[in-house]
Amino acid sequence: MKRQIIDTIESYDKIIIHRHVRPDPDAYGSQIGLKELLALNYPNKKIWATGTHDSTLDFLAKPDTVTDEDFKDALVIVTDTANTERIDDSRYNLGKFLIKIDHHPNEDAYGDLLWVNTEASSVSEMICELFFDGEEYKGWKMDSTIARLLYAGIVGDTGRFMFQSTTEQTMLYAGKLISYGFDRTELFNGMYEVECNMLQLKGYIYANFEMENGVGHMKLTRKLLQKYQVSESEASLLVSALSDVKGMKCWVFFIEDEKEIRVRLRSKGPVINGVAKKYGGGGHPLAAGATAYSWEEADEVLVDLKKAVN
């Protein structure tokens, strides 16, 4: 499969890489890491990374501006995106050929060529695997910029190597990426340093979350976010705040946006992505997301989460 992907990449002069909406480090790591990897090894190709930029990821990279004309006869690759509804930039189907590279359950088998590995810790880890195969097959090279992006994606999706998805291969690849000599302290500062207002909101969460029979929830309204001067994207970074609560089996954050309510589900064991799927979302068994369109619907999500656990 990996060599088939490499052969396909070599046959196109233009490549456009997508990822999911509301990106996280693995979305940028896999998407822009792959872009930089291909740009290094195929300098004569035109390669773009598309999608709406999230300012919380300024420390990693920024996507490109891509025109409709760029998609003509282009190879399109979508990374880290389980279903077509979550692909950032709906023009993904304007290209000539579509490749899906993902580690979520393959419930939406879109694309002309699919490489899905649900046992991979992250898609950034899968791009590492693609690199090592390309190194053997085509003499591919890597540099510190690429290694930094892929390492960030792995660290982000493994919770700094604490999640069960971390495997021996994950650690092996992470060790090889470190050998390229990027500044890990600077990277971790970008990933985990927070402003005082974020810490204050985190304190509010600790003081006000609710838990019943091991199921926790937190509602962050727009009024509350405005009080702490925290954006919806920044608030989403705090979803793991309840992971250390003793007796917590799973939890959900409801984060109010201008038009909708972001639903962020996390679990220490019970499978919760079925709840996300019911509300038009998806994800991993222990980490998933969806969207609610009213606080009444958010309450329904919580009821379904409690049913899924108890």
Side-chain angles (χ1 to χ4, degrees), residues 144 148 181-189:
S144 60
R148 179 180 181 273
F182 56 90
D183 188 337
R184 279 180 286 156
T185 299
E186 177 268 339
L187 176 61
F188 286 137
N189 288 344

PDB file of all heavy atoms in Angstrom, residues 144 148 181-189:
ATOM      1  N   SER A 144      15.036  18.586   9.686  1.00  0.00           N
ATOM      2  CA  SER A 144      14.550  18.907  11.028  1.00  0.00           C
ATOM      3  C   SER A 144      13.160  19.544  11.006  1.00  0.00           C
ATOM      4  O   SER A 144      12.375  19.361  11.949  1.00  0.00           O
ATOM      5  CB  SER A 144      15.539  19.842  11.740  1.00  0.00           C
ATOM      6  OG  SER A 144      15.701  21.048  11.020  1.00  0.00           O
ATOM      7  N   ARG A 148      10.193  17.837  13.103  1.00  0.00           N
ATOM      8  CA  ARG A 148       9.510  18.618  14.145  1.00  0.00           C
ATOM      9  C   ARG A 148       7.999  18.532  13.985  1.00  0.00           C
ATOM     10  O   ARG A 148       7.266  18.348  14.974  1.00  0.00           O
ATOM     11  CB  ARG A 148       9.975  20.068  14.067  1.00  0.00           C
ATOM     12  CG  ARG A 148       9.344  21.016  15.075  1.00  0.00           C
ATOM     13  CD  ARG A 148       9.895  22.426  14.886  1.00  0.00           C
ATOM     14  NE  ARG A 148       9.335  23.368  15.853  1.00  0.00           N
ATOM     15  CZ  ARG A 148       8.196  24.037  15.680  1.00  0.00           C
ATOM     16  NH1 ARG A 148       7.500  23.848  14.563  1.00  0.00           N
ATOM     17  NH2 ARG A 148       7.766  24.877  16.603  1.00  0.00           N
ATOM     18  N   GLY A 181      17.383  16.774  15.459  1.00  0.00           N
ATOM     19  CA  GLY A 181      17.949  17.905  16.168  1.00  0.00           C
ATOM     20  C   GLY A 181      17.126  19.173  16.264  1.00  0.00           C
ATOM     21  O   GLY A 181      17.694  20.244  16.482  1.00  0.00           O
ATOM     22  N   PHE A 182      15.822  19.104  16.132  1.00  0.00           N
ATOM     23  CA  PHE A 182      15.009  20.303  16.332  1.00  0.00           C
ATOM     24  C   PHE A 182      14.924  20.623  17.824  1.00  0.00           C
ATOM     25  O   PHE A 182      15.227  19.792  18.677  1.00  0.00           O
ATOM     26  CB  PHE A 182      13.615  20.115  15.738  1.00  0.00           C
ATOM     27  CG  PHE A 182      12.875  18.917  16.270  1.00  0.00           C
ATOM     28  CD1 PHE A 182      12.074  19.016  17.391  1.00  0.00           C
ATOM     29  CD2 PHE A 182      12.983  17.673  15.644  1.00  0.00           C
ATOM     30  CE1 PHE A 182      11.404  17.919  17.887  1.00  0.00           C
ATOM     31  CE2 PHE A 182      12.306  16.564  16.134  1.00  0.00           C
ATOM     32  CZ  PHE A 182      11.527  16.688  17.263  1.00  0.00           C
ATOM     33  N   ASP A 183      14.488  21.826  18.130  1.00  0.00           N
ATOM     34  CA  ASP A 183      14.438  22.305  19.510  1.00  0.00           C
ATOM     35  C   ASP A 183      13.148  21.818  20.166  1.00  0.00           C
ATOM     36  O   ASP A 183      12.079  22.398  19.985  1.00  0.00           O
ATOM     37  CB  ASP A 183      14.494  23.834  19.525  1.00  0.00           C
ATOM     38  CG  ASP A 183      14.645  24.416  20.920  1.00  0.00           C
ATOM     39  OD1 ASP A 183      14.276  23.725  21.893  1.00  0.00           O
ATOM     40  OD2 ASP A 183      15.126  25.562  21.036  1.00  0.00           O
ATOM     41  N   ARG A 184      13.238  20.764  20.973  1.00  0.00           N
ATOM     42  CA  ARG A 184      12.041  20.203  21.606  1.00  0.00           C
ATOM     43  C   ARG A 184      11.480  21.120  22.687  1.00  0.00           C
ATOM     44  O   ARG A 184      10.267  21.186  22.892  1.00  0.00           O
ATOM     45  CB  ARG A 184      12.349  18.828  22.193  1.00  0.00           C
ATOM     46  CG  ARG A 184      12.314  17.710  21.166  1.00  0.00           C
ATOM     47  CD  ARG A 184      12.639  16.387  21.815  1.00  0.00           C
ATOM     48  NE  ARG A 184      14.051  16.286  22.134  1.00  0.00           N
ATOM     49  CZ  ARG A 184      14.560  15.498  23.073  1.00  0.00           C
ATOM     50  NH1 ARG A 184      13.765  14.762  23.824  1.00  0.00           N
ATOM     51  NH2 ARG A 184      15.859  15.432  23.274  1.00  0.00           N
ATOM     52  N   THR A 185      12.346  21.834  23.383  1.00  0.00           N
ATOM     53  CA  THR A 185      11.862  22.758  24.416  1.00  0.00           C
ATOM     54  C   THR A 185      10.989  23.833  23.797  1.00  0.00           C
ATOM     55  O   THR A 185       9.891  24.139  24.288  1.00  0.00           O
ATOM     56  CB  THR A 185      13.040  23.401  25.158  1.00  0.00           C
ATOM     57  OG1 THR A 185      13.806  22.388  25.804  1.00  0.00           O
ATOM     58  CG2 THR A 185      12.543  24.410  26.197  1.00  0.00           C
ATOM     59  N   GLU A 186      11.452  24.392  22.698  1.00  0.00           N
ATOM     60  CA  GLU A 186      10.683  25.424  21.997  1.00  0.00           C
ATOM     61  C   GLU A 186       9.367  24.858  21.498  1.00  0.00           C
ATOM     62  O   GLU A 186       8.311  25.506  21.571  1.00  0.00           O
ATOM     63  CB  GLU A 186      11.527  25.974  20.833  1.00  0.00           C
ATOM     64  CG  GLU A 186      10.829  27.013  19.963  1.00  0.00           C
ATOM     65  CD  GLU A 186      10.110  26.388  18.772  1.00  0.00           C
ATOM     66  OE1 GLU A 186      10.443  25.248  18.376  1.00  0.00           O
ATOM     67  OE2 GLU A 186       9.192  27.049  18.236  1.00  0.00           O
ATOM     68  N   LEU A 187       9.382  23.620  20.998  1.00  0.00           N
ATOM     69  CA  LEU A 187       8.166  22.981  20.500  1.00  0.00           C
ATOM     70  C   LEU A 187       7.174  22.749  21.636  1.00  0.00           C
ATOM     71  O   LEU A 187       5.984  23.074  21.511  1.00  0.00           O
ATOM     72  CB  LEU A 187       8.508  21.653  19.826  1.00  0.00           C
ATOM     73  CG  LEU A 187       7.313  20.816  19.347  1.00  0.00           C
ATOM     74  CD1 LEU A 187       6.507  21.581  18.299  1.00  0.00           C
ATOM     75  CD2 LEU A 187       7.779  19.476  18.784  1.00  0.00           C
ATOM     76  N   PHE A 188       7.635  22.199  22.745  1.00  0.00           N
ATOM     77  CA  PHE A 188       6.741  21.939  23.877  1.00  0.00           C
ATOM     78  C   PHE A 188       6.179  23.233  24.459  1.00  0.00           C
ATOM     79  O   PHE A 188       5.035  23.275  24.923  1.00  0.00           O
ATOM     80  CB  PHE A 188       7.458  21.141  24.964  1.00  0.00           C
ATOM     81  CG  PHE A 188       7.657  19.693  24.618  1.00  0.00           C
ATOM     82  CD1 PHE A 188       8.864  19.059  24.876  1.00  0.00           C
ATOM     83  CD2 PHE A 188       6.643  18.960  24.026  1.00  0.00           C
ATOM     84  CE1 PHE A 188       9.047  17.721  24.558  1.00  0.00           C
ATOM     85  CE2 PHE A 188       6.819  17.625  23.704  1.00  0.00           C
ATOM     86  CZ  PHE A 188       8.028  17.003  23.975  1.00  0.00           C
ATOM     87  N   ASN A 189       6.984  24.298  24.454  1.00  0.00           N
ATOM     88  CA  ASN A 189       6.458  25.584  24.903  1.00  0.00           C
ATOM     89  C   ASN A 189       5.291  26.018  24.021  1.00  0.00           C
ATOM     90  O   ASN A 189       4.268  26.508  24.521  1.00  0.00           O
ATOM     91  CB  ASN A 189       7.555  26.652  24.877  1.00  0.00           C
ATOM     92  CG  ASN A 189       8.585  26.477  25.978  1.00  0.00           C
ATOM     93  OD1 ASN A 189       8.349  25.755  26.943  1.00  0.00           O
ATOM     94  ND2 ASN A 189       9.728  27.126  25.842  1.00  0.00           N
TER      95      ASN A 189
END
